[in-house]
Amino acid sequence: MITTVLPTYNRAPMAFVKGECSWLTAEDGSRYLDLGAGIAVNSLGHANPALVAALTEQAGQLWHVSNLYRIPQQEKLAEMLVDKTFADTVFFTNSGTEACELAIKMARKYHFDNDMADRIEIIAFEGAFHGRSTGAIAAAGSEKMVKGFGPLMPGFKQLKWGDHDAIRAAITTRTCAVMIEPVQGEGGIRVVPDQCLKGLRDLCDETGTLLIFDEVQCGVGRTGKLFAHEWAGVYPDIMMVAKGIGGGFPLGAVLATENAASGMGAGTHGSTYGGNPLGCAVGAKVMEIIADDAFLDAVSRKAAQFRQGLEGLVASHPTVFEAVRGQGLILGLKCKAANTDIVKAAYAEHLLTVPAADNVLRLLPALNIPEDDITEALARLDRTALRIEAA
Ligand SMILES: *Cc1c(COP(=O)(O)O)cnc(C)c1O
């Protein structure tokens, strides 16, 4: 008999009742150290007092009015994002998937309005993840996500990851945009080298193609810069944001240059909930805390400590782990043993990690995780590896 909750997830049996920074308390009272942060969502840890205050203060005033009216909280957050990024304008969504949908629409509308209506094709990459809507699965194109859900939205092409010549050859007079994660998350924490992002930007400029960065997972301070592409000094025309921007409240955004967004006038897009006062009040507090040089420097310091410890684990457990990947606090351990077995063994050590493709163990702690908790996490990962070796 089907479960009352649609069984689309293979869930671990634990249920959590309370959280505090990097720790979760389960129903039985036991505590778990959380290196998943709700899949890079709880960027400032669980029950962060500043976010709780921002949310509850707004909750006592006004929850929702719709986008029929001005929403000052939304305007404030948009200004903060525009102020700190390449973007001139922002549309708020409730998720990364919705951000992906708008990015696709915006890119196609741009060419349509510039009398190039046949430039509809969007180039994406193998291993990419852009969400679960029909458009987002067509963009990523993996068999696992699309099988049985056809016919797919046409106009997408996937290229091999890191094949520069293939990209140059794939851009034609029908190409609308290139969509890429500067650090692939679900695909196995694969960092796109700075040179590749630069080459991609040049190629897009040469051919009038729009460049879309999906920073839903790697953005909002996770790499030690506010957005991952800042490391390369390469800027997109359109960017998808979600996960960490809400710190746990459902919030996403599409950021764009004035030029790329020029086709999106009144009536071209909308969302009932998008940019509601609750989400934007929390998002503004998240931005206030994370978009700060001292905070971002601390992320890089914590990341260096964590990474050094992880390199040590690879050296001491060569049959379990193979290599460390990632940038800042979006880290991956490429595994020799099956990553799903390691995730389970980590549960036994009361440590939460997230599997990714390419047999990678994903480590995405809260960006403000205390150094002592990183030390504790490394000890638990060490014991996890011992369990695998003993099995
Ligand atoms: C999670 C994710 C999405 C989809 O976001 P949802 O909020 O789950 O819709 C899109 N792109 C990337 C890179 C992601 O990690």
Side-chain angles (χ1 to χ4, degrees):
M1 204 168 66
I2 195 164
T3 47
T4 51
V5 175
L6 192 72
T8 57
Y9 278 92
N10 244 329
R11 295 170 195 272
M14 302 85 80
F16 299 104
V17 294
K18 197 171 163 43
E20 199 186 344
C21 201
S22 291
W23 293 88
L24 283 168
T25 305
E27 282 173 321
D28 65 3
S30 63
R31 294 175 83 225
Y32 288 74
L33 182 48
D34 183 10
L35 297 185
I39 318 185
V41 165
N42 301 103
S43 46
L44 293 171
H46 298 281
N48 183 292
L51 301 191
V52 172
L55 181 67
T56 51
E57 191 182 316
Q58 184 58 46
Q61 299 292 322
L62 187 68
W63 291 22
H64 176 82
V65 292
S66 90
N67 285 298
L68 297 175
Y69 312 101
R70 285 185 46 225
I71 300 176
Q73 297 81 0
Q74 189 184 122
E75 291 168 5
K76 178 180 168 190
L77 179 54
E79 269 162 35
M80 293 172 100
L81 286 164
V82 164
D83 195 43
K84 296 281 186 186
T85 67
F86 72 96
D88 302 309
T89 187
V90 183
F91 183 93
F92 291 102
T93 67
N94 309 290
S95 70
T97 299
E98 289 166 85
C100 179
E101 291 298 312
L102 173 55
I104 293 167
K105 285 175 66 177
M106 185 184 283
R108 288 184 173 170
K109 186 71 160 48
Y110 169 83
H111 292 296
F112 181 88
D113 285 359
N114 284 284
D115 296 322
M116 293 179 284
D118 49 355
R119 294 191 71 160
I120 54 94
E121 191 169 81
I122 296 175
I123 294 174
F125 295 87
E126 280 178 8
F129 183 80
H130 300 301
R132 292 291 197 150
S133 63
T134 49
I137 62 173
S142 77
E143 165 146 346
K144 194 176 100 180
M145 284 191 282
V146 305
K147 196 176 174 192
F149 298 114
L152 294 179
M153 188 200 289
F156 295 94
K157 187 188 278 178
Q158 293 81 31
L159 303 183
K160 273 213 161 33
W161 206 80
D163 185 343
H164 294 221
D165 297 336
I167 300 173
R168 185 168 281 280
I171 294 185
T172 69
T173 53
R174 278 173 47 78
T175 307
C176 167
V178 173
M179 180 181 283
I180 188 167
E181 296 158 80
V183 181
Q184 256 191 11
E186 309 293 319
I189 314 296
R190 298 196 288 183
V191 181
V192 180
D194 291 355
Q195 275 315 108
C196 298
L197 287 185
K198 287 199 179 90
L200 207 49
R201 180 70 266 180
D202 291 344
L203 205 51
C204 286
D205 288 343
E206 268 170 49
T207 56
T209 304
L210 295 175
L211 183 56
I212 304 170
F213 285 162
D214 180 346
E215 293 228 17
V216 168
Q217 192 160 151
C218 62
V220 195
R222 192 140 284 279
T223 63
K225 296 268 190 201
L226 185 57
F227 290 100
H229 64 259
E230 293 171 29
W231 288 108
V234 167
Y235 299 89
D237 302 289
I238 300 171
M239 178 166 71
M240 296 140 61
V241 176
K243 293 199 167 98
I245 185 78
F249 197 91
L251 178 65
V254 173
L255 279 64
T257 63
E258 181 167 13
N259 182 45
S262 56
M264 303 305 293
T268 55
H269 196 64
S271 168
T272 299
Y273 288 129
N276 64 77
L278 283 175
C280 290
V282 179
K285 185 53 77 175
V286 169
M287 275 292 290
E288 192 187 307
I289 295 170
I290 292 180
D292 170 76
D293 288 340
F295 182 91
L296 292 169
D297 287 347
V299 171
S300 291
R301 274 200 311 279
K302 291 167 197 282
Q305 179 203 350
F306 201 6
R307 195 174 184 116
Q308 190 178 26
L310 293 172
E311 298 283 4
L313 289 178
V314 171
S316 53
H317 301 285
T319 62
V320 183
F321 303 124
E322 190 177 320
V324 185
R325 292 179 176 180
Q327 190 167 35
L329 289 176
I330 176 164
L331 289 165
L333 274 169
K334 168 82 173 159
C335 301
K336 281 244 175 78
N339 61 347
T340 46
D341 289 346
I342 301 175
V343 169
K344 281 193 194 125
Y347 290 151
E349 294 295 339
H350 284 212
L351 181 72
L352 305 179
T353 60
V354 186
D358 204 22
N359 202 30
V360 164
L361 191 72
R362 242 185 306 179
L363 310 168
L364 312 153
L367 303 180
N368 57 353
I369 183 173
E371 269 117 46
D372 288 351
D373 287 349
I374 294 176
T375 305
E376 180 61 30
L378 288 164
R380 290 182 189 216
L381 276 170
D382 187 43
R383 295 203 296 272
T384 300
L386 292 172
R387 279 177 187 265
I388 297 289
E389 285 158 352

